[in-house]
């Protein structure tokens, strides 16, 4: 659990982060979203002491981080950034091994961990372990960056616009990978982004920041349905609201009995994708399948109700 | 590349043959000597003089490197930042001071011989290495230095494992400049009786023997070109080894 308690950071005259309090539950993903200059990155960087706060306190599992030496704290917290920040003179394997080596793990254990992580991120160890980062594609570099951040099995992972430099297709894949890894290890993730779409997709909770202040910290449904200020509403985009709301649900949870004709949808797709498919096919309903078997139908009328503003 | 390498090898072999058996080239240099003058330098072994010349340059450059790199590391640490302007002007003074003036000032203190030459070359060599080390250490990709901090490296670990290895090619190019300058400047050391190739040139000038001047000058020139090339090649190798070739080209 990360407790951010009334934290302020002042540069010169301006409060870049202004009296922010935030509790991030263990095993959840907290996405801090805001425009550039909102203080979101500064807030995140105070968690691993890359920035020292002017006032306030941060506690990790109850322990005030002020009492932990910065380098020791950082070895306990994974850190992945935009543009990956891989060490260009070290191989992929050496990059991933950075923190375990700093912690003094023995060689065999490090080698096993590197192999495990490369496999987890779908990079064949034999093929990629000894390559230099500049011999990898952007998406691969980004995966190695996250693998390095996770190497010493940290409970907390900080990510600063990790997907900013990736094209949309690779970004979507990277996001799915992250969600899978997060579910597997139950890592607490704090992710900074300016992209509300990404925030809604990844966040267990979303923290919206503007001009150093925390405007709202809530689950995506609430952020979409009840934005606390006009700025939050603007970030979400009023025209996008129904679709964003739909994107949070899965077809599996809204299947109605009945059999209809048409190209079947898989139960795992999001309601938004299902809605798009219904509109595109021009039908009022489509069959839903799970593992190839038809298990019911999803209707346009039902989705339209779900997309309406929650009462 | 292949042909370039071949030419360099041939030049090196010709130089070595000349240094070991200078008389082989007597016919060629006789073209530049007046009648009755010896065509080949005869007041000492050219090989010995060359080795001594190289030793002086090497000693001075190693000393410059240690001090300049040390200073640059110091002033790029948080605790040394306030010394940055001071050390910069110090190295600049070393560069603007003409080596001849350093020699003139050093002789009364250190006497004639190798010592004043070493001091002059040492001072003269500081600036290129210092400036390049500063550039190398301060122009690292920000994401990489941020990551080095973020993974929990201490200040020294960042310096030794990330900053210096990545700055090495740039530092080396400073050392290369400094070496080549020293190689040429060392010749004036002979005016205060240091044993360098300047001796051969001076002997030629005083005896009005163009062949001697040519010999001294050619050896220094060829050495400079060969050493410059070798160090450049080493730099390129290091750039590739540290995965920065793309960065340099971009």
């Amino acid at each position: 659990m990360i407790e951010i308690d009334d934290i302020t950071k002042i540069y010169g005259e301006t409060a870049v982060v202004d009296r922010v309090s935030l509790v991030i539950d263990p095993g959840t993903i907290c996405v801090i979203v805001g425009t550039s200059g909102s203080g979101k990155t500064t807030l995140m960087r105070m968690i691993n002491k890359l920035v020292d706060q002017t006032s306030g306190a941060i506690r990790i599992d109850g322990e005030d981080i002020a009492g932990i030496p910065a380098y020791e704290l950082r070895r306990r917290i994974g850190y992945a950034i935009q543009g990956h920040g891989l060490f260009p003179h070290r191989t992929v394997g050496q990059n991933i091994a950075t923190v375990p080596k700093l912690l003094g793990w023995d060689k065999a254990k490090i080698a096993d961990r590197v192999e495990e992580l490369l496999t987890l991120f779908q990079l064949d160890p034999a093929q990629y372990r000894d390559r230099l980062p500049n011999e990898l594609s952007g998406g691969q570099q980004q995966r190695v960056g996250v693998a390095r951040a996770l190497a010493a099995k940290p409970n907390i992972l900080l990510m600063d616009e990790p997907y900013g430099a990736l094209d949309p297709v690779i970004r979507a894949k990277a996001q799915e990978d992250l969600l899978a890894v997060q579910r597997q290890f139950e890592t607490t993730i704090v992710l900074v982004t300016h992209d509300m779409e990404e925030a809604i997709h990844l966040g267990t909770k979303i923290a919206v920041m503007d001009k150093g202040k925390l405007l709202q910290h809530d689950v995506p449904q609430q952020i979409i349905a009840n934005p606390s200020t006009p700025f939050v509403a603007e970030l979400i985009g009023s025209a996008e609201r129904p679709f964003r709301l739909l994107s949070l649900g899965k077809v599996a949870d809204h299947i109605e009995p009945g059999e209809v004709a048409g190209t079947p949808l898989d139960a795992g797709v999001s309601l938004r994708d299902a809605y798009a498919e219904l509109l595109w096919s021009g039908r009022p309903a489509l069959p839903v399948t799970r593992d190839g078997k038809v298990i019911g139908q999803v209707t346009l009328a039902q989705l339209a109700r779900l997309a309406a503003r929650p009462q | 590349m292949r042909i370039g390498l071949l030419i360099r090898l041939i030049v090196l072999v010709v130089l070595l043959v000349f240094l070991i058996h200078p008389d082989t080239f007597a016919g060629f240099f006789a073209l530049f000597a007046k009648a009755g003058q010896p065509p080949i330098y005869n007041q000492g072994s050219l090989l010995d003089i060359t080795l001594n010349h190289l030793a002086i340059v090497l000693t001075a450059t190693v000393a410059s490197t240690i001090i300049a790199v040390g200073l640059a590391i110091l002033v790029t640490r948080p605790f040394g930042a306030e010394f940055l302007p001071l050390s910069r002007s110090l190295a600049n003074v070393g560069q603007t001071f003409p080596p001849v003036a350093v020699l003139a000032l050093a002789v009364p203190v250190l006497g004639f011989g190798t010592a004043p030459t070493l001091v002059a070359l040492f001072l003269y060599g500081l600036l290129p290495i210092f400036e390049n080390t500063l550039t190398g250490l301060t122009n690292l990709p920000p994401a990489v230095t941020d990551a080095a901090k973020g993974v929990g490296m201490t200040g020294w670990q960042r310096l030794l494992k990330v900053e210096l290895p990545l700055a090495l090619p740039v530092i080396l190019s400073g050392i290369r400049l400094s070496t080549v300058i020293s190689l040429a400047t060392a010749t004036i050391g002979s005016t205060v009786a240091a044993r360098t190739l300047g001796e051969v040139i001076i002997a030629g000038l005083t005896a009005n023997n163009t062949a001697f001047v040519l010999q001294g000058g050619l050896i220094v020139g060829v050495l400079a070109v060969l050493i410059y090339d070798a160090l450049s090649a080493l730099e390129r190798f290091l750039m590739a080894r540290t995965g920065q070739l793309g960065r340099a080209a971009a």
Side-chain angles (χ1 to χ4, degrees), chain A residues 47-223:
Chain A
I47 298 174
N48 67 352
K49 283 190 163 182
L50 283 171
V51 173
D52 290 319
Q53 71 264 30
T54 308
S55 68
I58 295 177
R59 286 180 294 278
I60 292 177
D61 296 330
E63 187 184 5
D64 191 334
I65 63 166
I68 311 171
Y71 66 91
E72 228 177 276
L73 177 74
R74 291 176 197 150
R75 290 174 192 177
R76 283 164 36 182
I77 298 177
Y79 184 58
I81 51 180
Q82 180 175 15
H84 62 74
L86 293 175
F87 303 130
H89 60 304
R90 295 182 158 198
T91 64
V92 166
Q94 289 167 334
N95 262 290
I96 296 177
T98 306
V99 183
K101 228 174 146 187
L102 288 172
L103 292 171
W105 290 17
D106 66 63
K107 274 205 171 111
K109 194 176 164 197
I110 294 177
D112 286 351
R113 183 65 179 153
V114 168
E115 184 131 352
E116 185 187 347
L117 281 164
L118 281 172
T119 314
L120 182 69
F121 284 95
Q122 296 129 43
L123 294 164
D124 177 19
Q127 197 185 344
Y128 289 101
R129 191 195 297 111
D130 299 320
R131 290 204 191 176
L132 286 176
N134 68 354
E135 298 166 319
L136 267 52
S137 73
Q140 291 169 336
Q141 289 171 339
Q142 202 281 332
R143 276 182 270 164
V144 176
V146 178
R148 177 176 69 181
L150 290 172
K153 305 184 179 167
N155 289 326
I156 297 170
L157 174 60
L158 305 182
M159 307 181 90
D160 187 2
E161 304 251 2
Y163 308 123
L166 300 182
D167 65 63
V169 176
I170 294 174
R171 184 185 314 166
K173 170 86 173 72
Q175 289 171 342
E176 290 321 309
D177 288 350
L178 182 73
L179 286 173
V181 168
Q182 196 270 342
R183 273 192 292 269
Q184 190 179 340
F185 298 113
E186 297 189 330
T187 315
T188 308
I189 296 178
V190 181
L191 186 145
V192 163
T193 181
H194 61 265
D195 180 0
M196 190 48 107
E197 180 96 27
E198 182 166 271
I200 291 168
H201 182 49
L202 295 176
T204 316
K205 277 190 174 181
I206 296 173
V208 185
M209 284 192 69
D210 184 42
K211 300 191 183 83
K213 289 212 181 329
L214 178 66
L215 299 181
Q216 193 170 8
H217 179 221
D218 215 328
V219 293
Q221 285 84 349
Q222 279 303 316
I223 299 262

Side-chain angles (χ1 to χ4, degrees), chain B residues 162-175:
Chain B
V162 179
E163 296 171 16
L164 276 182
L166 289 179
L168 195 58
V170 189
I171 298 175
L172 197 63
S173 102
I175 296 176

Side-chain angles (χ1 to χ4, degrees), chain A residues 45 74-75 79 85 88-89 134, chain B residues 146-147 149 152 157 161 242-243:
Chain A
R45 288 167 70 91
R74 291 176 197 150
R75 290 174 192 177
Y79 184 58
H89 60 304
N134 68 354
Chain B
D146 187 42
K149 264 193 200 165
Q157 286 168 334
K161 296 183 172 188
T242 55

